[in-house]
Amino acid sequence: MRRVSILGATGSIGQNTLDLIRRVPGEFQVVALSGGQNIAQLAADAREMRAELAVTADPARLDDLRSALEGSGIRAAAGEAALIEAATLPADWIMSAIVGVAGLAPGLTALRQGGTLALANKESLVAAGPLMLATAAAHGARILPVDSEHSAIFQALVGEDRAAIERVVITASGGAFRDRPLSDLEHVTVAEASQHPNWDMGQRITIDSASMFNKALEVIEAHEFFGLKPDCIEVLVHPQSTVHALVGFVDGALMAHVGPPDMRHAIGYALNWPDRRALPVARLDLAAIGTLDFAQPDPARYPALDLARQVMATGGHSGAVFNAAKERALDHFIAGHIGFTRMSVLVARTLDEIGGGAAGEITLESVGRWDHLTRQHMDSLVVA
Ligand code: NDP
Ligand code: MG
């Protein structure tokens, strides 16, 4: 039996991962599960899967978790050190699906086991790409991308010579406000921004899809993970979310990955890799779909995309600064402190003022310092 752990088990990616594991009884032994506030889900899943360890990120919820697990024999723990322990328990395959840069330290710890890290947590590649890749290389670990676009690129590259890549096209649905007049965007609500036209995901990434901060992170993620030059990476708005990404080769061929908007495909691919096995995703009826549309993203509607280019040109710790500024802008938008369009304005200003391009090795500590500095700066701009 393969031993698996899921960091961020109570979230959208975590629950989809458990759905796949549940369908093949006897194939996987669940070792550790982590969550945050959703103690009932975490305890129910830990009991059902007979996990060894259940961790909540929030120490204030440890008593609740202990009571929910009473009599089960499953160990309960809480806080950052416990998340690291969850990533340390021997496992062949670990899903990194915590949201935000909080997923970086557990993900790095998991890589040190030298097994497979299924990486949904794009923030860790944006904030610390070189550190993630170097840690994987030093410990003989493998990172398999779970973000649908990056899984699509990874699949399109099987058997191909990476030197023959000319360009990569990442598609974007356009998010909740694709068709809203630009003048409305200043006043859209959190509830409206939390509705994705095609994908069912956690609230934060859904709002990031409306602003295209998610796509901005994904461009940087592709740059870091596949080692692609920034000008090789293109973004197209594709409202149907059917073509997830395309890889263009020097001979002019474009290999597209086409599938339904269901994360269980990308998760299942990483779970079964290098094999392909049956997955419970809908089969596309292309005749019923009929038409697939593609368009250039409007920079005025999606200013985050230009910021991603700025980050890639700057390098250094600017990815950590960008990610932290984005996370904090989103916190303030969700809390009702700032409007939707203000997020990109404040992130742009913070990138200019904090930068992050200074030379120096990227370590967990250095990323933590830039992250902290950036969040403080963002907060001072919001108060001002
Ligand atoms: P969710 O918000 O649905 O879930 C996040 C998970 O992380 C939950 O288990 C949550 O616990 C836990 N969590 C929240 N805050 C912390 C923290 N500070 N420390 C530790 N754990 C925490 O997110 P998603 O599943 O949507 O996304 C997870 C990651 O996957 C993100 O990096 C996202 O960008 C990426 N991703 C997601 C996709 C999707 O389809 N959802 C697609 C592609 C990438 P709890 O809920 O119990 O509080
Ligand atoms: Mg994606």
Side-chain angles (χ1 to χ4, degrees):
M1 267 210 271
R2 285 173 75 203
R3 290 169 60 88
V4 305
S5 289
I6 305 173
L7 308 171
T10 52
S12 161
I13 292 285
Q15 290 292 300
N16 276 311
T17 308
L18 282 168
D19 175 78
L20 294 178
I21 288 174
R22 200 173 275 131
R23 287 166 191 266
V24 284
E27 291 204 16
F28 297 101
Q29 159 76 52
V30 173
V31 180
L33 295 177
S34 90
Q37 300 306 316
N38 194 346
I39 301 298
Q41 188 71 55
L42 178 60
D45 290 336
R47 281 177 182 273
E48 181 196 346
M49 299 289 163
R50 299 172 182 280
E52 293 168 23
L53 174 67
V55 171
T56 164
D58 183 357
R61 304 304 304 272
L62 180 56
D63 284 346
D64 295 345
L65 183 60
R66 280 206 179 109
S67 339
L69 289 174
E70 209 172 314
S72 68
I74 300 164
R75 202 152 54 83
E80 277 176 35
L83 283 173
I84 298 298
E85 193 197 343
T88 312
L89 291 186
D92 306 298
W93 189 94
I94 300 178
M95 166 58 80
S96 169
I98 289 171
V99 65
V101 80
L104 174 60
L108 283 169
T109 304
L111 285 174
R112 291 194 195 99
Q113 288 201 30
T116 297
L117 186 71
L119 188 68
N121 180 269
K122 64 192 86 186
E123 297 90 341
S124 45
L125 278 176
V126 173
L131 176 62
M132 289 289 290
L133 298 189
T135 305
H139 294 87
R142 182 177 297 277
I143 301 176
L144 294 176
V146 170
D147 213 346
S148 57
E149 298 77 3
H150 305 72
S151 174
I153 296 166
F154 190 81
Q155 293 179 50
L157 288 175
V158 171
E160 302 286 355
D161 175 5
R162 290 204 180 186
I165 303 173
E166 194 170 66
R167 62 183 176 138
V168 159
V169 181
I170 295 174
T171 61
S173 68
F177 307 129
R178 183 174 64 210
D179 303 318
R180 282 287 271 268
L182 273 183
S183 53
D184 279 12
L185 293 187
E186 202 181 328
H187 303 294
V188 294
T189 66
V190 173
E192 289 173 304
S194 304
Q195 300 296 321
H196 198 285
N198 304 336
W199 295 89
D200 181 10
M201 310 185 284
Q203 186 193 31
R204 296 181 71 88
I205 184 172
T206 301
I207 300 176
D208 282 350
S209 299
S211 62
M212 273 214 205
F213 268 115
N214 179 50
K215 213 47 59 179
L217 297 181
E218 289 181 359
V219 168
I220 302 169
E221 182 186 10
H223 165 65
E224 295 289 353
F225 185 72
F226 295 105
L228 297 167
K229 291 200 188 80
D231 56 7
C232 292
I233 308 169
E234 302 167 25
V235 174
L236 288 181
V237 176
H238 167 48
Q240 291 87 1
S241 295
T242 300
V243 177
H244 303 306
L246 306 98
V247 179
F249 294 96
V250 286
D251 60 358
L254 263 181
M255 301 296 284
H257 185 284
V258 183
D262 184 335
M263 283 309 294
R264 292 176 305 174
H265 171 76
I267 297 167
Y269 184 80
L271 193 59
N272 297 317
W273 183 90
D275 301 331
R276 281 193 189 273
R277 301 183 55 183
L279 291 172
V281 300
R283 270 45 177 174
L284 285 183
D285 179 346
L286 288 175
I289 294 171
T291 310
L292 296 175
D293 301 295
F294 299 92
Q296 288 293 341
D298 172 4
R301 185 178 293 277
Y302 304 115
L305 293 177
D306 281 343
L307 300 179
R309 305 266 164 215
Q310 188 181 327
V311 167
M312 290 187 292
T314 308
H317 288 85
S318 64
V321 171
F322 180 58
N323 180 68
K326 192 277 318 169
E327 287 193 24
R328 208 65 194 118
L330 185 55
D331 293 340
H332 285 297
F333 173 64
I334 292 173
H337 301 156
I338 59 173
F340 182 78
T341 49
R342 192 98 183 111
M343 287 193 285
S344 61
V345 172
L346 294 185
V347 172
R349 199 169 145 192
T350 298
L351 259 186
D352 287 340
E353 290 171 1
I354 302 273
E361 198 190 344
I362 296 180
T363 64
L364 187 57
E365 294 68 32
S366 69
V367 169
R369 280 195 301 276
W370 284 102
D371 182 278
H372 182 68
L373 182 71
T374 303
R375 283 169 202 260
Q376 279 185 328
H377 190 77
M378 280 294 293
D379 290 354
S380 71
L381 294 182
V382 170
V383 172

